[in-house]
């Protein structure tokens, strides 16, 4: 059974770096039929796509965050990570990791982590 | 970036009602659209992908239709567990984008 679990600090100071890890069980990060993504949701607001990473290391980022975002894969640990630099209060959100299935049937985020609230505050 | 506009932003309905939510794309996206259901404090749950394909395990009262710029999510016979927020997402091009969400509340 596929499970994704986010982990990382729940409180980050302004101007510092937000770092989260998603641990995946029940699927391999090395598969060519999945992308691994990060999505966030500020309190009371809608969903915002942050970025995707493919098993090859290819990344796609939201242009609104691109200058501050880095994602990476650790296939030996079956984990992928998010780093968001120079955070401000507007980066306070629930952060989700998710699996995107790709292929001829259509793309979709079909599995999500439970989400982790990250608050940016001094 | 492709913008997705959902309407309405909220609605009130009764158990048993038929509910329709629309998602309009700022440019054509073929059928590359998914719908999610989200309950408070929970992660989004995939309902529909490729505009009209029902995700495995999702009740058949949920259906999706449309292509290019205009899409619809329909719930036939609203159930108590369906009161939630529904969001669309396009996969046609990067950056991936979401609609603003539609909150379905109990009348």
């Amino acid at each position: 059974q596929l499970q994704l679990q986010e982990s990382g600090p729940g409180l980050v100071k302004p101007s510092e770096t937000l770092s989260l890890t998603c641990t995946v069980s029940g699927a391999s990060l090395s598969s060519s039929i999945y992308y691994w993504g990060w999505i966030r949701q500020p309190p009371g607001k809608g969903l915002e796509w942050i970025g995707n990473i493919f098993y090859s290391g290819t990344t796609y980022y939201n242009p609104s965050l691109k200058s501050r975002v880095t994602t990476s894969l650790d296939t030996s640990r079956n984990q992928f990570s998010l780093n968001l630099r120079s955070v401000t209060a507007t980066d306070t959100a629930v952060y989700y990791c998710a699996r995107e299935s790709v292929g001829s049937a259509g793309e979709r985020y079909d599995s999500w982590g439970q989400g982790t609230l990250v608050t940016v505050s001094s | 970036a492709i913008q997705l506009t959902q309407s309405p932003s909220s609605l009130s309905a009764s158990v048993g009602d038929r509910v329709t939510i629309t998602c309009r794309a700022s440019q054509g996206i073929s059928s590359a659209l998914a719908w999610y259901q989200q309950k408070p404090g929970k992660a989004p749950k995939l309902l529909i992908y490729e505009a009209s394909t029902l995700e495995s395990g999702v009740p058949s009262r949920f259906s999706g239709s449309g292509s290019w710029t205009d899409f619809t999510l329909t719930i036939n016979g609203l159930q108590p567990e369906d009161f939630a927020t529904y969001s669309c997402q396009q996969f046609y091009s990067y950056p991936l984008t979401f609609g603003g969400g539609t909150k379905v509340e109990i009348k």
Side-chain angles (χ1 to χ4, degrees):
Chain A
Q1 182 180 355
L2 176 65
Q3 286 190 317
L4 294 87
Q5 178 69 58
E6 306 89 351
S7 59
L11 181 64
V12 180
K13 290 182 168 55
S15 79
E16 295 190 344
T17 297
L18 180 160
S19 296
L20 296 174
T21 296
C22 183
T23 300
V24 179
S25 56
S28 172
L29 293 188
S30 300
S31 172
S32 62
I33 59 173
Y34 305 123
Y35 279 84
W36 303 94
W38 290 98
I39 299 101
R40 71 180 183 178
Q41 186 170 35
K45 296 188 177 181
L47 298 160
E48 180 182 28
W49 178 75
I50 299 172
N52 271 0
I53 187 165
F54 198 44
Y55 80 100
S56 61
T58 299
T59 55
Y60 301 92
Y61 298 136
N62 192 324
S64 68
L65 299 169
K66 188 174 183 178
S67 63
R68 299 193 290 132
V69 169
T70 305
T71 58
S72 60
L73 282 173
D74 184 341
T75 54
S76 65
R77 296 186 176 187
N78 229 37
Q79 295 176 332
F80 61 105
S81 299
L82 168 71
N83 282 334
L84 180 65
R85 298 175 292 278
S86 304
V87 298
T88 69
T90 58
D91 294 310
T92 294
V94 175
Y95 286 75
Y96 296 100
C97 59
R99 182 186 77 174
E100 179 187 342
S101 290
V102 300
S104 59
E107 298 178 40
R108 64 278 190 193
Y109 283 117
D110 56 6
S111 294
W112 296 65
Q114 65 184 24
T116 187
L117 174 62
V118 179
T119 301
V120 179
S121 175
S122 55
Chain B
I2 297 172
Q3 295 180 29
L4 298 179
T5 303
Q6 284 185 238
S7 61
S9 56
S10 65
L11 64 91
S12 295
S14 300
V15 172
D17 283 354
R18 181 184 187 191
V19 169
T20 300
I21 299 168
T22 64
C23 179
R24 176 163 289 176
S26 60
Q27 64 188 74
I29 59 170
S30 186
S31 297
L33 188 99
W35 289 98
Y36 301 92
Q37 176 194 67
Q38 189 177 23
K39 296 182 179 179
K42 300 295 186 181
K45 173 189 173 184
L46 176 67
L47 299 175
I48 302 280
Y49 61 96
E50 199 64 8
S52 61
T53 302
L54 192 68
E55 171 70 346
S56 176
V58 173
S60 59
R61 63 181 179 273
F62 292 93
S63 63
S65 64
S67 65
W68 287 113
T69 60
D70 293 296
F71 301 86
T72 299
L73 173 71
T74 300
I75 311 171
N76 277 305
L78 196 67
Q79 296 299 300
E81 60 268 30
D82 300 337
F83 292 95
T85 298
Y86 295 85
S87 299
C88 55
Q89 182 191 15
Q90 65 84 17
F91 287 89
Y92 186 76
S93 67
Y94 286 112
L96 306 184
T97 48
F98 290 89
T102 296
K103 187 174 184 179
V104 177
E105 298 176 301
I106 301 173
K107 181 183 285 185

